[in-house]
Each structure stands twice: as structure tokens, then as C-alpha cells.
């Protein structure tokens, strides 16, 4: 089955700096890659996703890039703010999503 | 808005007790999932269901069972709770045609 690895496990940045979180996946048939944000004490929520027919997707300060050949994808957050502090999970699945597997998570801390 | 609710936010049980965790979604989603979340291990899939009375094992089904008698409700059962089942349990749901999973608020279970 799919195996997703995520790095780093913790990341601390100064407010205004950029943050990058990287994930690799094992199943070359995976074609859907979401990112979830989980604030302290709250449920994970989808913040951005990308499909395998697209190399990059951007939504305001958040972007995701995908390299299908290398089987890795990354989350980029620019101009970080304290409210970006949370645990971020990457995931990978094939069509339908029943086989979705998550990375171990990255705890991002943005210091004011 | 999709609403996924879980019956309890916090639960304390004794070793050997039978434990029921309930999850309800109000968006007529076909798919429902149970995960456990542990520090450093991310979200690990216990079981999922793609239709009423249908279930599939995830990566860590041992010690758990599930029940889906109605489309909106998915129950996780710990037949005989053990201390190593102390964890945060997250329920999620998704449609049959989209991969995005919507999570419940989680149940933090402590087994003494």
C-alpha cells in the first residue's frame, strides 16, 4: 500500500519568513495530494490540494508543488504569520480517496 | 457546510471495558473513516466504510471493529480496551466522487 513520509517533524520560523514542508510517496499510481492543517485542539482541515496532472497550485500565501518523477510534493507558506502555527499533514491517494494515507505531520511554530 | 460530529470529546475507560465511539455526518457521504492520531505517527487508518454494512480494514485494525448500520453513522468498537489504545480518535467522511475528507472534532480516549 501507499507509504507517505513527511519532513521535517518540527519547524520553527520567524514571522514573515517562508516555511517549506516536504513529503514523499511510494505508489506511483497516486494522483491526489491534499494538505491538512490542524490547529491545537481542533480538527484537521483541508487547506490546499493538487492532482497529478498539475505541477503547482497556489492560493494566496500557500502553494503546493508536485514532482511526479521523484514522487515528492511540498507545501510552501510565504510571509508566515503566528496564526499559521499548527500541525500540517500531507496525504496521498488514488482516485476516490479510500486508500488515502497521511504523513506523520509537521509542527510549525511561527515566532512573532 | 459538512458537519461531522463525534459522540464524546473525552472518554476515560478501564482496561477490559467495551468502548463505543460514535461518528455522525450530515452530508449523505458514502465513505466514512476511523483514524487514530498519536504524536510522531500522524493519522493511521483503522477501518473505513464505503457503504452501509460495508467495511474494509485499514493499516491497524487489530483490537478494533466497526459498524455501519445507517449511512450517516459509523461506530468504532473496542471490544476489550487496553492501555495501548489510549489515543486521539478521529472520524472522517467523504463523498464517493471526491477525495476530500472532512474530519470530526476527535475523541481523546484514556484507558486506565
Amino acid at each position: 500500500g501507499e507509504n507517505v513520509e513527511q519532513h521535517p517533524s518540527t519547524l520553527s520560523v520567524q514571522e514573515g519568513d517562508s516555511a517549506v514542508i516536504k513529503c514523499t510517496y511510494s505508489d506511483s499510481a497516486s494522483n491526489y495530494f491534499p494538505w491538512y492543517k490542524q490547529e491545537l485542539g481542533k480538527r484537521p482541515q483541508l487547506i490546499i490540494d493538487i492532482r497529478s496532472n498539475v505541477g503547482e497550485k497556489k492560493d494566496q500565501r500557500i502553494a503546493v508543488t508536485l514532482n511526479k518523477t521523484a514522487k515528492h510534493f511540498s507545501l510552501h507558506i510565504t510571509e508566515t504569520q503566528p496564526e499559521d502555527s499548527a500541525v500540517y499533514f500531507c496525504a496521498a491517494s488514488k482516485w476516490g480517496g479510500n486508500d488515502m494515507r497521511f504523513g506523520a505531520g509537521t509542527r510549525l511554530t511561527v515566532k512573532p | 457546510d459538512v458537519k461531522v460530529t463525534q459522540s464524546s470529546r473525552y472518554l476515560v475507560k478501564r482496561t477490559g471495558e467495551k468502548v463505543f465511539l460514535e461518528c455522525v455526518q450530515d452530508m449523505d457521504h458514502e465513505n466514512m473513516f476511523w483514524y487514530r492520531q498519536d504524536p510522531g505517527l500522524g493519522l493511521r487508518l483503522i477501518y473505513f466504510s464505503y457503504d452501509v454494512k460495508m467495511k474494509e480494514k485499514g493499516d491497524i485494525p487489530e483490537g478494533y471493529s466497526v459498524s455501519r448500520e445507517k449511512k450517516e453513522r459509523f461506530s468504532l468498537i473496542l471490544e476489550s480496551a487496553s492501555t495501548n489504545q489510549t489515543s486521539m480518535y478521529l472520524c472522517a467522511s467523504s463523498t464517493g466522487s471526491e477525495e476530500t475528507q472532512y474530519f470530526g472534532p476527535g475523541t481523546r480516549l484514556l484507558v486506565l
Side-chain angles (χ1 to χ4, degrees), chain A residues 30-31 44 48-49 55-56 59 67 75 89 94 109:
Chain A
S30 289
N31 55 16
I48 195 167
D49 56 12
E56 183 173 356
D59 182 4
N67 182 327
L75 178 71
F89 293 99
K94 293 188 279 288
T109 303

Side-chain angles (χ1 to χ4, degrees), chain A residues 63-81:
Chain A
V64 57
T65 59
L66 171 66
N67 182 327
K68 284 188 297 183
T69 304
K71 289 190 284 187
H72 68 70
F73 56 112
S74 300
L75 178 71
H76 305 253
I77 306 174
T78 58
E79 300 172 24
T80 54
Q81 300 167 3

